[in-house]
Amino acid sequence: AIYVEGHYGNVLNCTFDTNWAEWGTPDGGTIAFRSGSDYVLMENCSINNSYVQAPTVGGGAIQISASHYIIRNVNFTKCLSRWGGGALCFYGSYSDIIVTQCRFEDNSCPNSYGGAIRTHNSVISVYNSTFINNYASGFGGAIASETGGIVENCTFINCSSSSSGGSIHFSKKTT
């Protein structure tokens, strides 16, 4: 639905339903923010039934590869990525991410890490968010971060993984 490669990009007050990306470079099923995208704000949105089938890591709803992101008051429902981050995948260049007041429900990553969120080379801060029925076959039924992060005032209900971190798995120093 959206591919952003540039300096700024805001996605406000939108609904995305039944979007997908198939083979190719790692992208999100609904949105891809690529290198060079700075200071992105996504707010007051819903993403439902989003899917990515990339042969490499890609978020079921959103793939983010660089810079500073704020995701606020966004609902992610029934999103799926085969290889990382059922809803959100932050991968590649260093990113500074804030996720706040979001809801992640029925998202999955059946072949890898992060049923709802996966990060790599990115620092994530998650505040006041709810995670319900998220699943990963690898680490982190809800959140898997290879770079650590902050999780504060969040609710986790029935999240699971086949490995460690039924709700959260952080690989490095965290707060």
Side-chain angles (χ1 to χ4, degrees), residues 127-157:
Y127 304 103
N128 305 310
S129 295
T130 302
F131 297 82
I132 301 170
N133 298 326
N134 296 285
Y135 169 77
S137 66
F139 304 126
I143 300 170
S145 177
E146 298 162 24
T147 319
I150 298 168
V151 176
E152 187 174 295
N153 296 323
C154 293
T155 301
F156 297 87
I157 300 169

Side-chain angles (χ1 to χ4, degrees), residues 27-44:
D27 286 321
T30 299
I31 300 171
F33 292 110
R34 306 296 286 171
S35 297
S37 302
D38 296 326
Y39 304 102
V40 172
L41 170 64
M42 182 172 196
E43 185 171 41
N44 300 325

Side-chain angles (χ1 to χ4, degrees), residues 13 19 91 112 128 130 136 160 163 166:
N13 306 311
N19 294 280
Y91 203 85
S112 190
N128 305 310
T130 302
S160 62
S163 188

Side-chain angles (χ1 to χ4, degrees), residues 27 45-46 64 72 75 84 90 112 116 119 121 128 135 143 147 155 165 174:
D27 286 321
C45 296
S46 291
I64 297 176
R72 182 182 309 131
N75 295 319
F90 302 93
S112 190
T119 70
N121 290 337
N128 305 310
Y135 169 77
I143 300 170
T147 319
T155 301
T174 62

Side-chain angles (χ1 to χ4, degrees), residues 93-109:
S93 302
Y94 178 83
S95 297
D96 183 23
I97 306 135
I98 297 172
V99 175
T100 184
Q101 301 167 349
C102 292
R103 182 179 179 93
F104 298 85
E105 187 167 2
D106 296 323
N107 302 292
S108 63
C109 183

